[in-house]
Amino acid sequence: MKNNLNRRDFLKSSAIASSFFILPRHVLGKGFLAPSDMVNMAFIGCGKQSNGLQSRFHETGQVNIVAAADPHRLKLERFTKNLTKLVKKSSLDTSFKAYEDYRQIIEDKSIDSVVVVTPDHWHAAMTVKAAEAGKDIYCEKPLALTVKEGRAMVKAVRKNNRVLQTGSMQRSWPEFLRTAELIRNGYLGEIKEIFVNVGNPPKDIDFEAQPLPNHLNWDLWMGPNTDKTPYNELLAPTLENDFWALWREYKPFGGGYITDWGAHMFDIVQWALGMDNSGPVKVSVPLSKNMSGDIRGLKYTYKNGITVTHKDFGKNNGIRFIGSEGTLDVQRKKLEEPDNLKKVVIKETDIRLKHPENHYIDFINSMRSRELPICDVEIGHRTSSMCNIGNIAYELGVELDWNPKKESFKNNAAANALLGRQMRAEHGIII
């Protein structure tokens, strides 16, 4: 042969030679993984959330984690040490490369997929660039910082025939599946209203600058952001102060807890109502805070009249569905059904929703089959959009009419201006 085969082509050629009559054609096509092929995976972002994801993917036995990138050197080193411990207990590939700059991962053609586990302001740029480079993507929720960035992610994934799994793993958990199937099949009767109890929307920067540590490339951490936010360990904690980083609470980087926990809980609402490809048509907000400064009261209205209210109903990070047949409350690992539904068994003739036993294997299986994963890019985008427009309503303090098909507000230029943002050319994308 005149040209050397790369790793993926060699494995596919071997698979064709030995299993031509067994493997379906779409598995063997360009850019697809054969069932016997290990996935070469890289992590972009090595903060606290990456620790669990590293273990979850390694435990599948189908992944070689071959690289990672993070502008925070100490977190990159911790990720490497943790991976070394995991690999010692298995027979998986031990080769590994550590980078400061994520672009070296994007450029590496031997990498099949990336796990984007960065602050939200980076999600869209990294996902689009990874898709254009032919890589499949597992992206943490909320999928995007703005509505326009989310739509750009969908377009890039579709245009380049990539697979994207959103990190909304609750769709792979039994209590949420049962909730969605009970509601989809009418067992809770006509849904009257829904309450979602998550924290506050994002806030403006309220901290002072701190000396920049020598282990952090702050300019790279800021990435596509155009504003010059000073360094503070609240945004990028040290290893000694390894709390959940508070970038998620500030407007330049995250959407507050409306998107942080809301991306999980509003996602289940969308799933249960069968609105994965759409969303509400109206958003209204209260004009005052309660005595503690807590901000709640946002109300979404769907075209069928169902309302979803951001409300503290006494169960933290939970959802309450109120139907004509009773009230159902669901939280992680806890489902409280009306007595009349506790013995209901979902029938084979009912609407049955996809429910993988493992959110991470579902992603890997989709890489091989090219079928949509349980939380595809469009689903993740629609959920993050619901959170994004809620934050816009909170910021402006007005009622907004939303067109989920056009993805724009009716007769409100100020609100539409907040659907996207400017990005630095070096790290941004065109939206």
Side-chain angles (χ1 to χ4, degrees), residues 179-194:
T179 294
E181 289 190 334
L182 284 172
I183 292 168
R184 285 276 194 107
N185 288 291
Y187 288 108
L188 200 61
E190 182 182 354
I191 301 300
K192 303 295 186 180
E193 57 183 338
I194 302 168

Side-chain angles (χ1 to χ4, degrees), residues 330-365:
V330 63
Q331 298 167 279
R332 289 187 176 183
K333 310 301 181 184
K334 190 172 185 180
L335 174 60
E336 298 181 27
E337 307 173 46
D339 290 340
N340 58 314
L341 297 189
K342 289 180 179 178
K343 294 184 179 180
V344 168
V345 177
I346 304 297
K347 302 185 292 291
E348 289 301 320
T349 54
D350 284 336
I351 297 171
R352 303 306 301 266
L353 302 174
K354 179 180 179 180
H355 187 251
E357 294 183 6
N358 185 296
H359 201 64
Y360 315 101
I361 291 178
D362 180 62
F363 172 53
I364 296 167
N365 288 343

